Amino acid sequence: MSRPLRRFLHDATVASADAPQRDFLRKALGGYYASRDTQKARYRDWEHARDAAALAKWEAVGDLGRHLADFTARFESNGGKVHWARDAAEARSIILGICREAGARAIIKSKCMTTEEIHLNDALEAEGYGVVESDLGEFIQQLRKEPPFHFVFPCMHLRREVISDLFTRHLGSAATDSPEELTMIARRHLRQLYVDADVGISGANFLVAETGQVSITENEGNARLTCALPRVHIALAGIEKVVARLDDLSVLLPMLATAGAGQPMTCYNTLYAGPRAPGEADGPEAFHVVLLDNRRTALLADPEQRDSLHCIRCGACLNVCPIFKNIGGLAYGTTYQGPIGSVLTPHLRGLKNWNHLSGASSLCGACTEACPVRIDLHHHLLRNRRNAVRAHGGAVDRVFHRLLGWVFAHPRVFALGGSLFRRTLPLLRRLPLPYLRPWLRSRDLPAPPARSFREQWKDVQP
Amino acid sequence: MRVSLFIPCFVDQLAPRVGLAAAQVIRGLGHEVEFREAQTCCGQPSFNAGHWQVARESALRALDVFRGAEAVVGPSASCVAMMRKFYPEVLAGHPRLEEARELGARTFEFGEFLVRRLGVTDVGARLEGVATYHDGCHGLRELGLRAEARALLGAVRGLRLVEAAEGETCCGFGGLFSVKYPMISTAMAQVKCEALARTGADLVVSSDPSCLLQIGGYLSREGKAVRTVHLAEVLAAR
Amino acid sequence: MSDARDDIMARIREALRTPAPRPHLRSESAAGRPSALARPWLPDPGETLESRLALLAQNLAKLKAQLVRAPDMAAARSALAALAAERGWRSVATHAHPDTRELAAALPCPSWEVDAAFDKQRLEASDAGLTSCLAIVAQTGSILVTSAGDGGRSLSILPHVHVVVARVDQVTGDLADAFELVRSRHGGRLPSMLSFITGPSRTGDIERILVLGAHGPRELVLILVG
């Protein structure tokens, strides 16, 4: 058993037994469902709009090389600098190099899951930089030294009392049970840090090939501040973030907001074309974009699952996933949680160690139905299971399914086996059998009928 | 019409009454019903476990078994989804791919067959009680069924239909998932069953015997008096 | 290092040898750009100016932004002066633009303009930022500000209140209209920042409960003239 699987089994067992916490999560998501449905109803046709969004991303990813080249040329002609990173280590060293060259001391970050993917904060801190996450949820998770629970709602698992205690301990604030007051405590604490920071690090939601712009979506305004006040701005982006045209965003921005948070538009959707331009009042002197591969090209090489690179990280699939809602985001042990994480992680970090996430799904398809860009999420879990059997299948498992196939190919053997199973079930129940025992731990089995359907069929012929 | 029944393996062995009820309802509408004894399992267990080679063999067998059948009707949305949606997937590039698509097009889930193919909603059933319908995920999302079962239940004399919260939430069965990750599966069953119980219904009806196994198994363990029945059983009641 | 780009580009070329099938589209008019395809399905942008203004008012109300309709600049001046007096503003930051200058002149408190060498600390201490905007999007209730025409990057985000002055004819239908306007106004030389502001700053990070003023302005006021 791989270490990630051992950890997953342990954490998922603990989390799924925590009924109050599960209720808390479901309640927190209740408001999301209501506002999402209200906003979706404003679309003249959400399903058609999803088609167009899927098409925009398909066009972008299907000609990724050209779009990245166009983005780079235009971004650099606007005065920015593009860097390419084959893997996490390369991305970290590029970013550290920029910080060193800038003579930075303090770094402010706006929310960026890709920096979590490459473990950037640890690398920056190891070099002595002070790094502060400015998104409220990320700030809270940073104080807790815990990874984000949900890649859009990082601390949705925390009750206000926990956050109040955390702030008292780290910021010396008075205890409060008001989410508003807690938000203001963080606001006051972070404000001066924006002004003092030398480098701002952000992610990117979209890179526009046509114009060379970096598009950043956020609600709080922390990314706006991160990209306005420090001298240097670094944006880290996966290569799949590129879209062909500015107009594509007229579809993707509202759909991201509606699917992800039940909003008509996220509060701030900002397009950055480069560093401060001549004649502008402010903005960074330098703007770097770091384009990260980190095995995305391996996923790109799989035409069957290539559409998982269409993901716009809205989080809708997590919000509707019954697995996510019952085990929470931390149990996954991944940068990207929920269905999209279960699809991506085996590609990004290896199928051998992460295929259990494909198995930990009832394949209900709520994710696929929720995805604004129509990624075939739950079917990809099936494909990952198939790929895992092909690449790393165990002998026992293989023999079991061969045997099962043989039984099903012989109706008489099947009927005999079924009859035997029905007759011996009272005995079997008491044996520590795989599959049967775990079922019976929490669920009953109906008493088996004396005769099967095929046995009774003869009786009911006219 | 001559209808060929497709009885999933576990219905055959563990819930034969569901198959018998389905046959009774279809016959009651004046159609012939046959059962081809060479059938066993659609291959979904192996397909879901990633053993597509084994599933492919099951698919090819099913093509032989149901060759020439005018309509194939199965009282399990999940197994019908396997045939209609996933046979073409496991047979991608196979010379019999077209045949699989063609079989998928004449294979129906039981309620879907009555409403969409036969255009019937009232089968003359009578059952006193309050029922809530559970949408199995395969029926709901792979086959796009939602209104069919409700229309059929709505026409049952004496039956009142109530909707549950968490209406489109999975019950947590998911085949092998339910025994490989029993803790998650059980948590899901709890959410589902509590919502079903809150409706006050005395019957939980579904078109998916596998969901009923999960829901019934959990409700029974929790000592709840709610009964779980297949749609076909309700429609066969007089 | 210099070959990372070449390596990644080579991997991409290799990976894309086998194309992925085009997504299935429900609509028959499958030709054309995704944005053109989506346009009739997205939320209503309003047909006429009247319907756009009504939609905008509705959207801003839901977003908890304030809309002040002023028939002319004189009315706008007094509305802003009244707001400043009511809130007891001591300092308002703004930028060089005929409309913002005219409004700032009517303020009961001092105002100052950000320029190429302004003090960030002074902006942080200002009670409000007064800016112009490039366009307003009725469909989403978004206000588009740019770093070129509307006072740079921080003026619209750092002060606690953001006041925007705009003319009625700046109200466009949807985002595609706004992009079209950006292209026609700025051509090949885009401002370094374009920001669609949709309501005051907000967060739901604590128990998914909405709180305004997470980091950016707690209040957003749109003074619409005309």
Side-chain angles (χ1 to χ4, degrees):
Chain A
M1 197 184 281
S2 69
R3 254 188 51 193
L5 173 56
R6 238 191 347 262
R7 219 201 96 178
F8 178 77
L9 287 173
H10 173 267
D11 292 359
T13 303
V14 172
S16 55
D18 189 346
Q21 180 64 15
R22 287 161 48 218
D23 285 344
F24 177 76
L25 280 183
R26 246 195 321 284
K27 206 174 132 209
L29 285 169
Y32 159 80
Y33 299 137
S35 44
R36 176 202 60 186
D37 292 345
T38 307
Q39 290 307 328
K40 268 169 74 172
R42 292 182 63 239
Y43 284 71
R44 284 167 287 176
D45 192 309
W46 174 256
E47 295 305 320
H48 277 89
R50 285 174 80 202
D51 287 348
L55 184 66
K57 289 296 294 193
W58 176 81
E59 288 185 358
V61 170
D63 201 358
L64 190 58
R66 184 169 65 88
H67 294 315
L68 286 172
D70 286 354
F71 168 79
T72 303
R74 284 170 194 142
F75 182 75
E76 295 197 332
S77 79
N78 290 334
K81 171 91 182 100
V82 173
H83 308 259
W84 300 69
R86 279 165 288 214
D87 54 31
E90 204 162 51
R92 288 193 300 265
S93 96
I94 290 166
I95 294 170
L96 282 167
I98 297 168
C99 293
R100 245 178 255 131
E101 202 180 317
R105 288 150 302 135
I107 298 171
I108 191 104
K109 278 185 68 202
S110 68
K111 189 169 178 324
C112 171
M113 291 311 295
T114 319
T115 63
E116 300 280 342
E117 180 185 328
I118 67 165
H119 303 287
L120 181 62
N121 288 8
D122 294 344
L124 289 170
E125 280 162 5
E127 293 257 327
Y129 296 106
V131 190
V132 179
E133 293 286 351
S134 59
D135 170 85
L136 177 60
E138 293 282 340
F139 174 68
I140 289 168
Q141 291 305 95
Q142 189 185 26
L143 291 181
R144 282 172 62 82
K145 299 190 181 6
E146 186 177 74
F149 180 90
H150 176 302
F151 61 71
V152 178
F153 311 141
C155 68
M156 69 172 297
H157 60 311
L158 298 180
R159 285 174 169 74
R160 59 189 81 179
E161 309 85 76
V162 174
I163 297 168
S164 173
D165 285 352
L166 186 76
F167 283 2
T168 303
R169 224 168 34 248
H170 289 272
L171 312 177
S173 56
T176 170
D177 64 356
S178 150
E180 175 155 20
E181 183 47 35
L182 288 167
T183 304
M184 293 311 137
I185 291 167
R187 177 185 172 102
R188 285 193 291 272
H189 175 79
L190 284 161
R191 248 176 127 68
Q192 194 57 40
L193 301 179
Y194 293 112
V195 178
D196 294 340
D198 315 290
V199 172
I201 298 179
S202 75
N205 294 85
F206 303 99
L207 306 170
V208 185
E210 178 193 2
T211 55
Q213 290 166 302
V214 176
S215 177
I216 300 178
T217 293
E218 49 139 357
N219 270 313
E220 297 182 359
N222 62 309
R224 281 281 312 270
L225 290 163
T226 300
C227 305
L229 297 168
R231 285 184 284 119
V232 176
H233 174 197
I234 306 169
L236 174 65
I239 51 174
E240 81 284 12
K241 295 288 179 192
V242 76
V243 293
R245 316 167 193 89
L246 185 56
D247 275 347
D248 292 339
L249 298 188
S250 68
V251 189
L252 295 168
L253 296 179
M255 293 188 74
L256 170 62
T258 296
Q263 293 177 270
M265 276 275 271
T266 315
C267 202
Y268 300 101
N269 284 283
T270 310
L271 288 143
Y272 296 99
R276 170 190 194 172
E280 294 183 351
D282 57 355
E285 297 153 14
F287 184 11
H288 302 266
V289 166
V290 181
L291 295 175
L292 178 70
D293 179 356
N294 211 24
R295 296 187 54 82
R296 284 164 174 76
T297 45
L299 178 51
L300 189 71
D302 180 356
E304 211 176 32
Q305 294 192 46
R306 189 176 292 155
D307 70 351
S308 15
L309 291 172
H310 298 180
C311 176
I312 57 174
R313 302 288 188 270
C314 69
C317 61
L318 281 68
N319 300 341
V320 299
C321 176
I323 312 297
F324 175 83
K325 287 195 276 179
N326 284 297
I327 68 171
L330 298 172
Y332 287 82
T334 56
T335 307
Y336 308 104
Q337 311 79 16
I340 186 66
S342 297
V343 169
L344 288 175
T345 308
H347 293 275
L348 302 181
R349 293 169 73 176
L351 188 55
K352 195 170 171 73
N353 284 333
W354 295 94
N355 180 51
H356 60 276
L357 295 179
S358 320
S361 164
S362 63
L363 304 169
C364 79
C367 49
T368 306
E369 185 180 65
C371 177
V373 294
R374 290 201 188 282
I375 301 170
D376 200 11
L377 287 161
H378 71 297
H379 294 145
H380 289 338
L381 296 176
L382 281 164
R383 293 172 189 130
N384 276 341
R385 293 181 190 182
R386 176 203 61 199
N387 295 346
V389 165
R390 279 186 191 157
H392 317 284
V396 176
D397 193 43
R398 200 175 294 269
V399 168
F400 173 76
H401 281 278
R402 283 257 150 252
L403 186 68
L404 203 62
W406 182 79
V407 170
F408 289 143
H410 297 85
R412 291 226 178 99
V413 179
F414 166 72
L416 191 70
S419 158
L420 207 63
F421 175 78
R422 278 181 282 119
R423 276 168 229 286
T424 54
L425 190 57
L427 170 72
L428 299 178
R429 279 173 196 280
R430 274 176 280 154
L431 301 178
L433 290 175
Y435 301 161
L436 196 57
R437 184 46 67 89
W439 175 275
L440 289 170
R441 206 169 293 141
S442 56
R443 292 151 292 193
D444 289 338
L445 262 186
R451 295 164 72 219
S452 67
F453 175 84
R454 61 184 69 224
E455 286 169 78
Q456 295 184 52
W457 179 246
K458 297 165 189 80
D459 307 345
V460 295
Q461 294 322 300
Chain B
M1 190 185 307
R2 189 171 170 82
V3 173
S4 196
L5 277 184
F6 160 46
I7 300 299
C9 51
F10 66 103
V11 170
D12 181 18
Q13 295 300 320
L14 295 175
R17 60 180 194 283
V18 172
L20 296 169
Q24 188 191 324
V25 171
I26 297 170
R27 276 180 178 152
L29 293 169
H31 301 281
E32 268 183 82
V33 179
E34 61 168 24
F35 174 71
R36 301 188 178 185
E37 295 206 8
Q39 64 181 283
T40 52
C41 170
C42 64
Q44 190 169 193
S46 295
F47 175 70
N48 280 358
H51 293 269
W52 288 23
Q53 182 56 44
V54 177
R56 189 172 303 132
E57 285 157 21
S58 297
L60 293 173
R61 273 201 91 243
L63 294 184
D64 293 337
V65 169
F66 294 112
R67 182 176 289 147
E70 195 180 350
V72 178
V73 176
S76 162
S78 175
C79 306
V80 169
M82 179 68 204
M83 289 177 73
R84 192 184 296 164
K85 287 202 73 171
F86 301 121
Y87 278 7
E89 179 124 5
V90 295
L91 292 174
H94 193 279
R96 296 182 75 180
L97 172 63
E98 251 336 289
E99 211 183 317
R101 291 209 176 109
E102 184 269 326
L103 173 63
R106 60 187 160 89
T107 302
F108 301 89
E109 183 276 323
F110 172 69
E112 176 189 37
F113 176 72
L114 298 182
V115 177
R116 289 200 193 168
R117 181 75 174 79
L118 299 183
V120 173
T121 50
D122 186 353
V123 300
R126 168 180 295 280
L127 185 68
E128 294 296 327
V130 181
T132 185
Y133 183 76
H134 162 70
D135 290 287
C137 300
H138 275 103
L140 188 65
R141 300 198 183 88
E142 303 292 355
L143 303 178
L145 304 176
R146 191 169 198 292
E148 291 74 6
R150 287 176 175 79
L152 289 161
L153 289 170
V156 175
R157 285 153 198 81
L159 196 70
R160 190 159 68 82
L161 193 60
V162 291
E163 291 291 337
E166 302 278 352
E168 299 192 349
T169 303
C170 177
C171 69
F173 180 68
L176 281 182
F177 166 75
S178 67
V179 286
K180 284 178 103 168
Y181 299 93
M183 64 297 195
I184 311 175
S185 172
T186 303
M188 288 163 70
Q190 185 196 352
V191 171
K192 185 81 212 180
C193 291
E194 284 175 0
L196 292 170
R198 274 199 302 275
T199 62
D202 37 39
L203 276 182
V204 174
V205 185
S206 179
S207 298
D208 237 309
S210 49
C211 302
L212 290 172
L213 199 66
Q214 165 89 343
I215 293 170
Y218 185 84
L219 286 173
S220 157
R221 179 60 59 90
E222 295 295 304
K224 297 268 164 44
V226 189
R227 237 174 19 107
T228 47
V229 290
H230 191 276
L231 174 68
E233 296 176 83
V234 176
L235 299 188
R238 292 292 183 276
Chain C
M1 271 320 188
S2 61
D3 58 354
R5 172 181 171 147
D6 295 343
D7 274 3
I8 294 172
M9 284 298 204
R11 289 178 191 170
I12 291 172
R13 266 194 307 280
E14 184 59 34
L16 289 175
R17 270 168 196 269
T18 315
R22 193 167 189 263
H24 167 77
L25 302 176
R26 268 151 203 73
S27 174
E28 285 308 311
S29 62
R33 296 176 160 202
S35 51
L37 197 65
R39 212 167 181 177
W41 311 121
L42 296 173
D44 186 12
E47 288 287 314
T48 61
L49 182 61
E50 278 317 299
S51 59
R52 279 178 191 169
L53 289 172
L55 186 61
L56 177 68
Q58 226 177 64
N59 284 336
L60 289 174
K62 283 188 201 132
L63 292 162
K64 300 182 192 301
Q66 298 161 55
L67 173 64
V68 179
R69 290 293 302 272
D72 52 27
M73 282 301 280
R77 282 198 305 272
S78 51
L80 181 65
L83 189 69
E86 181 200 314
R87 301 295 158 88
W89 290 344
R90 286 153 307 164
S91 167
V92 172
T94 184
H95 65 102
H97 182 280
D99 285 355
T100 52
R101 278 195 169 156
E102 190 181 337
L103 289 198
L107 281 167
C109 66
S111 68
W112 62 286
E113 287 181 1
V114 293
D115 55 27
F118 77 91
D119 177 10
K120 294 189 241 182
Q121 213 69 50
R122 188 179 176 198
L123 183 61
E124 200 280 324
S126 295
D127 296 299
L130 169 64
T131 75
S132 55
C133 70
L134 180 62
I136 295 162
V137 182
Q139 180 188 48
T140 55
S142 308
I143 297 165
L144 173 58
V145 298
T146 81
S147 52
D150 310 306
R153 297 193 185 191
S154 5
L155 180 59
S156 55
I157 194 74
L158 192 56
H160 300 282
V161 181
H162 179 203
V163 182
V164 183
V165 56
R167 305 285 181 147
V168 161
D169 61 12
Q170 288 180 279
V171 177
T172 62
D174 59 12
L175 288 168
D177 287 336
F179 289 136
E180 191 48 51
L181 190 67
V182 167
R183 268 189 289 262
S184 72
R185 189 70 58 87
H186 294 282
R189 192 81 211 162
L190 292 169
S192 78
M193 183 200 81
L194 300 173
S195 191
F196 290 94
I197 299 174
T198 311
S201 157
R202 62 196 58 210
T203 185
D205 273 348
I206 301 173
E207 298 189 9
R208 306 297 319 133
I209 293 166
L210 177 69
V211 175
L212 297 183
H215 297 277
R218 254 176 281 193
E219 287 182 72
L220 175 65
V221 184
L222 172 63
I223 302 179
L224 198 54
V225 184

